[in-house]
Amino acid sequence: EDQVTQSPEALRLQEGESSSLNCSYTVSGLRGLFWYRQDPGKGPEFLFTLYSAGEEKEKERLKATLTKKESFLHITAPKPEDSATYLCAVRVSGSARQLTFGSGTQLTVLP
Amino acid sequence: DADVTQTPRNRITKTGKRIMLECSQTKGHDRMYWYRQDPGLGLRLIYYSFDVKDINKGEISDGYSVSRQAQAKFSLSLESAIPNQTALYFCATSDTGTSGTGELFFGEGSRLTVL
C-alpha cells in the first residue's frame, strides 16, 4: 500500500531559525512528489513538483529536495508569514494521475 | 472573486438528511475533484471528473455521489448524511495540459457538520 508520512506533525520556530520538514514515502513507481502550503481557513496552494532523486526546487525562503525515499522542505530564515501547514503528496504509476497526500506539518514561526 | 468557488462554506445538518455541496470554477479547467480533509488523515480523494461525461470514484466514495453539470460545475451529494461525514470538503481543478505538474487549484472549503 502506498504511504506518505510527514514529520514532525507540528513545528515551532523563532523568526530566522532555519529548519526542515520531512516527507517520507513508500510507493511503487513514483511519478512525482508535490508540496503544497495551506493557510488556516483556505485551500492548499501549490508550491513545487519534484520528479526524480537529486532534483531541487527553490522559491523565496523555501527549498525542496528529493531522494529515493523522502523529500525535505528546507525553510531558511523563516518569517511569521511562513506560518502554515505544509502538505506533501505523491503520484504513483497506474494511479490515473491522482495524488496521495500526507497529513501535513503545521509550522508556526514566532516573531 | 475566487477562481474556484464552493457553496455553502459552512453547513450544519442532522443525520439522515440529504446534503449537496456545490463547486464552480472560472479557470476553464477540464478536470475537477472533490477531496475530504480530516485532522491527522490529510486530504483524501472522493470523486474526480476529467470532463463532463467522465466520473470516477476516488479512495473514499462510499456514501457520496457527484454530478458534473457543466465543465465549470461539479457538485457533491451526501444522500443520507452520517456523523462520520463531518469534515472539511475541498473542490479542486486542474488542466489536462499541465496535469503532469501535479498542480491542483483548490477552493476555500466547505465545512460540514453532521449531528
Side-chain angles (χ1 to χ4, degrees):
Chain A
E1 181 181 341
D2 300 328
Q3 287 192 337
V4 181
T5 303
Q6 292 188 246
S7 62
E9 291 186 8
L11 180 63
R12 291 166 66 93
L13 300 173
Q14 290 295 133
E15 185 172 1
E17 179 186 2
S18 301
S19 188
S20 297
L21 312 182
N22 177 264
C23 172
S24 63
Y25 58 90
T26 306
V27 301
S28 53
L30 182 72
R31 301 302 296 270
L33 186 139
F34 315 92
W35 283 97
Y36 282 78
R37 168 186 171 134
Q38 185 175 18
D39 292 302
K42 302 287 187 181
E45 180 181 345
F46 174 77
L47 291 172
F48 304 111
T49 303
L50 302 166
Y51 291 107
S52 57
E55 189 174 358
E56 300 181 350
K57 292 279 180 69
E58 287 189 66
K59 181 179 181 180
E60 297 181 354
R61 294 175 292 281
L62 300 177
K63 179 179 179 180
T65 62
L66 182 64
T67 73
K68 290 185 177 180
K69 294 184 178 181
E70 58 192 348
S71 176
F72 291 94
L73 186 65
H74 306 278
I75 303 176
T76 301
K79 298 181 178 182
E81 53 262 43
D82 294 322
S83 297
T85 296
Y86 291 87
L87 304 170
C88 77
V90 299
R91 174 183 291 144
V92 300
S93 301
S95 65
R97 294 182 172 270
Q98 302 319 307
L99 305 186
T100 299
F101 282 84
S103 57
T105 293
Q106 184 176 0
L107 174 67
T108 302
V109 182
L110 303 171
Chain B
D1 289 340
D3 293 327
V4 182
T5 303
Q6 293 183 229
T7 56
R9 293 292 313 281
N10 289 283
R11 181 72 183 269
I12 299 173
T13 191
K14 295 182 178 179
T15 297
K17 294 292 187 180
R18 184 177 187 273
I19 294 297
M20 179 180 287
L21 305 180
E22 297 184 326
C23 177
S24 63
Q25 53 115 345
T26 58
K27 298 194 71 68
H29 289 168
D30 49 354
R31 300 184 175 196
M32 298 187 74
Y33 310 78
W34 275 104
Y35 282 89
R36 166 179 174 159
Q37 188 173 41
D38 298 275
L41 294 179
L43 285 158
R44 292 181 292 167
L45 183 63
I46 307 172
Y47 271 95
Y48 62 100
S49 169
F50 284 175
D51 64 41
V52 175
K53 297 180 180 180
D54 176 77
I55 301 289
N56 303 281
K57 292 183 177 180
E59 179 186 355
I60 53 163
S61 59
D62 287 349
Y64 302 95
S65 63
V66 290
S67 174
R68 186 83 183 264
Q69 301 95 325
Q71 187 192 36
K73 297 184 181 295
F74 193 36
S75 60
L76 176 71
S77 294
L78 289 69
E79 296 302 324
S80 180
I82 57 176
N84 76 0
Q85 292 177 313
T86 293
L88 184 57
Y89 291 85
F90 286 102
C91 175
T93 72
S94 69
D95 181 71
T96 298
T98 58
S99 62
T101 67
E103 184 171 8
L104 300 177
F105 295 84
F106 285 85
E108 297 200 330
S110 295
R111 184 169 296 281
L112 176 66
T113 303
V114 183
L115 302 176

